[in-house]
Amino acid sequence: MNKIKRGCVYLLLIAATATVASCKKNSTKPDVEVEPEKPVVIEDTNYINVAATVEVSPLLEGAKFVWKNEAKKGVVLKFKYNEDGINKEVTVENNADVNGTVTIPIFGLTNFTVTVANTGSKVVSTRLMGILPQLKPESKLSKTGWSASASSEINDPDEELNGAENIVDDVAVKSVTSPSSPSFWQSDYYLDPIFPYPHWLVVDMKKAIKLTKIGLNAHTDGNQGFTEFKIEGSIDGIAFTDIGEGQKTFNPKTTAEQTFKVIPATAIRYVKITLLLGTPYPCLANFEAYARQ
């Protein structure tokens, strides 16, 4: 009997132990992803110090930029500007010179945007920096080899020789058919009806050059001339664009050279003079062109 009781107690202990064991929580901890600490990046402000020192000065057809880099840490400088309608950029890579410099060719008033950055760093933009370079003196071009054509002309050996070619000869050359006056061009007034405005003349300078102004001389007879005109330029002699900033006024009653500023966007080979208003017998004695060279 005692053996049976002891066996029952033993079974109860085993059952209780199993129950307690089944109620215990799992002691294994779940996997938790821990992000590594990001390193603290300290921005080197040397590029700001360099940018503050950038200066510009004019050279002959150029702009000279200088800057200081006391820390001697590499910086990247970019000089952005527009020339003749084209956006351009000059870059100085990883420059660590204490006294840095770069020269950029320019041919007129130019605005620059200068940016400075540490190598691989963010960029700081400086102020806009405008500069007018020193310019070469303006001079009259040689007309040797030039030719000219016109919408109409009088070029008849039996009548008059007042063709378009006469505006590109020397201003002192006398007219073949009127030796008392300089040679000149005249529109064809023999046409019936007479040729109306506008009239035009095109000068071929044979090579492209960036002009600064043109000069025109009237015929000695002030009653034969024009009063309003425009100036155009071309690279190929086909497509012409305005280079004289609109309509111009011409005085046909003075024989002194009258000059007119031109601003071609680029070097041009052909100059077109379009006569808009004037007498029924327009004429022109001489054409000159000027450039800085």
Side-chain angles (χ1 to χ4, degrees):
M1 185 68 178
N2 289 335
K3 289 181 178 180
I4 293 172
K5 288 181 177 179
R6 285 197 294 270
C8 290
V9 171
Y10 179 72
L11 291 172
L12 289 170
L13 288 172
I14 292 173
T17 302
T19 301
V20 172
S22 66
C23 293
K24 286 183 179 180
K25 294 181 178 179
N26 191 345
S27 61
T28 304
K29 294 182 179 180
D31 293 334
V32 178
E33 293 184 2
V34 179
E35 293 185 6
E37 292 185 6
K38 294 181 180 180
V40 177
V41 177
I42 300 176
E43 180 66 42
D44 188 341
T45 59
N46 183 54
Y47 67 99
I48 297 177
N49 299 330
V50 173
T53 69
V54 177
E55 296 180 352
V56 62
S57 58
L59 296 175
L60 181 62
E61 295 192 337
K64 180 181 180 180
F65 289 89
V66 297
W67 61 89
K68 292 186 179 297
N69 187 354
E70 300 289 352
K72 298 182 181 179
K73 295 178 180 178
V75 291
V76 178
L77 298 97
K78 293 185 178 182
F79 304 85
K80 300 178 181 180
Y81 61 105
N82 184 285
E83 185 177 68
D84 294 337
I86 301 173
N87 291 324
K88 297 185 177 182
E89 180 179 299
V90 173
T91 301
V92 180
E93 296 281 1
N94 198 29
N95 184 272
D97 297 337
V98 174
N99 297 300
T101 182
V102 66
T103 297
I104 300 174
I106 57 174
F107 305 96
L109 179 61
T110 306
N111 290 322
F112 289 87
T113 298
V114 184
T115 62
V116 185
N118 290 337
T119 303
S121 178
K122 64 184 180 182
V123 176
V124 59
S125 294
T126 73
R127 62 199 179 282
L128 273 176
M129 307 181 76
I131 191 71
L132 178 67
Q134 298 173 13
L135 300 176
K136 291 181 179 179
E138 196 174 52
S139 60
K140 183 181 294 186
L141 301 178
S142 168
K143 295 189 288 185
T144 302
W146 289 12
S147 62
S149 57
S151 51
S152 72
E153 62 184 24
I154 297 177
N155 203 11
D156 184 348
D158 295 327
E159 297 291 342
E160 298 180 58
L161 296 172
N162 297 330
E165 294 293 325
N166 289 330
I167 70 170
V168 292
D169 60 13
D170 189 281
V171 67
V173 172
K174 297 297 183 180
S175 170
V176 174
T177 53
S178 302
S180 62
S181 63
S183 63
F184 62 96
W185 159 83
Q186 187 161 29
S187 65
D188 188 354
Y189 55 81
Y190 291 119
L191 294 174
D192 187 17
I194 194 168
F195 202 74
Y197 283 89
H199 302 271
W200 56 259
L201 298 105
V202 173
V203 175
D204 180 359
M205 301 183 295
K206 302 306 179 182
K207 66 177 182 179
I209 190 166
K210 196 165 185 179
L211 303 181
T212 56
K213 67 182 180 183
I214 67 165
L216 302 176
N217 291 80
H219 180 37
T220 52
D221 183 353
N223 295 318
Q224 298 186 54
F226 61 95
T227 56
E228 303 292 329
F229 72 106
K230 65 179 180 179
I231 312 167
E232 296 173 291
S234 174
I235 297 173
D236 57 9
I238 299 172
F240 285 85
T241 57
D242 175 53
I243 61 173
E245 299 183 311
Q247 192 164 314
K248 301 294 183 183
T249 299
F250 184 75
N251 184 356
K253 294 186 179 298
T254 177
T255 57
E257 182 181 8
Q258 300 172 57
T259 59
F260 302 89
K261 181 180 179 181
V262 294
I263 309 176
T266 187
I268 58 171
R269 173 175 168 175
Y270 301 87
V271 178
K272 184 176 184 180
I273 308 298
T274 301
L275 314 183
L276 302 172
L277 293 172
T279 73
Y281 312 102
C283 48
L284 181 66
N286 187 55
F287 171 91
E288 301 287 354
Y290 296 79
R292 298 187 184 280
Q293 60 177 6

